[in-house]
Amino acid sequence: IVTTAPKGAKDFTISPQTGKAEPTVAPVNIPKDSDVNWKKPVVVQQAVNPAPKGRIEKGVATYALDGDGAGITSKRGEKLNCRIEGIDAPETDKTRFGKKPAQPHADESLKTLQKMIVNKEVTVTVTEEASTKNYGRSVCKIEVEGKDVSTEMLRAGAAMLYEQFYKGPQHRAAQNQAKANKVGIWSDKVPPQPPWEYRRTP
């Protein structure tokens, strides 16, 4: 907007409605930085709250971004970002971030988890507190409709047993069942590359 001061007006303001300059007898004084007592910003509520180990929450799964991660909103309204314990799913496409393309079956894995938990009531037990190694996520055991999500993802061939971190024999049995039935990641002639190895390769 280009405007000029009204004739004879020492101080003026610009009307937000018309864009015209209008005389004023009470100009707005803009303070200098040295006159303002700036305070440190305060976060009223974090979008995702880290949860302590052992904490149990009931809530609703609101999203899944890959086959081993989910967002939960508790009944108290708190948000929890979870890395599902004991499993590692095929890596989804990261080329938009300048990283690697998706592994085979990544989309199917994601869709399996979405169908299993999204918009459903779940029970979450935090087994490991949020850390940088999990990209700020808490490691969680998630149950839906009385079933352990890790076990069901393995049984469907939608994820692989995370050998370094799996928790119980039922996980191994579920993976063996998926292998025997040749479902999901086990349906190809070539054995799947473990996601943790895929992430390490150039």
Side-chain angles (χ1 to χ4, degrees):
I1 298 174
V2 178
T3 187
T4 57
K7 187 176 181 180
K10 181 179 179 182
D11 297 305
F12 65 96
T13 60
I14 298 175
S15 170
Q17 285 78 31
T18 65
K20 294 182 178 180
E22 300 174 349
T24 179
V25 294
V28 176
N29 293 318
I30 300 175
K32 299 178 181 178
D33 279 351
S34 58
D35 298 330
V36 178
N37 183 21
W38 297 105
K39 293 185 178 180
K40 185 178 180 181
V42 176
V43 177
V44 177
Q45 182 177 359
Q46 292 180 323
V48 177
N49 296 318
K53 183 176 180 179
R55 172 172 159 185
I56 299 175
E57 288 285 356
K58 288 187 179 295
V60 174
T62 53
Y63 66 85
L65 296 178
D66 53 30
D68 53 37
I72 312 297
T73 299
S74 74
K75 289 187 174 181
R76 296 182 294 172
E78 295 181 338
K79 298 184 185 300
L80 183 63
N81 195 359
C82 289
R83 171 72 160 81
I84 301 173
E85 73 161 10
I87 63 173
D88 204 0
E91 289 293 308
T92 53
D93 183 73
K94 303 291 193 307
T95 53
R96 64 188 182 279
F97 304 120
K99 297 183 180 181
K100 296 182 180 181
Q103 284 188 277
H105 302 284
D107 287 343
E108 298 96 313
S109 174
L110 170 59
K111 290 175 182 177
T112 299
L113 182 60
Q114 288 174 332
K115 184 177 180 180
M116 191 180 299
I117 67 171
V118 172
N119 295 326
K120 295 183 180 180
E121 185 173 303
V122 296
T123 300
V124 177
T125 303
V126 177
T127 58
E128 186 177 330
E129 295 181 24
S131 65
T132 54
K133 72 177 181 180
N134 288 313
Y135 303 100
R137 299 178 295 179
S138 301
V139 178
C140 305
K141 176 181 179 181
I142 301 178
E143 294 181 349
V144 60
E145 298 173 349
K147 296 180 179 179
D148 174 53
V149 170
S150 300
T151 303
E152 296 307 311
M153 288 292 287
L154 291 166
R155 183 175 286 121
M160 183 179 292
L161 192 66
Y162 206 163
E163 293 290 349
Q164 301 95 315
F165 304 107
Y166 83 94
K167 299 296 181 181
Q170 76 276 11
H171 292 160
R172 177 76 64 189
Q175 177 166 284
N176 289 341
Q177 181 181 343
K179 285 183 177 181
N181 293 335
K182 297 181 180 180
V183 295
I185 61 176
W186 309 106
S187 61
D188 299 334
K189 292 183 179 180
V190 179
Q193 182 182 20
W196 59 88
E197 291 184 1
Y198 180 75
R199 290 191 293 269
R200 288 200 299 260
T201 56

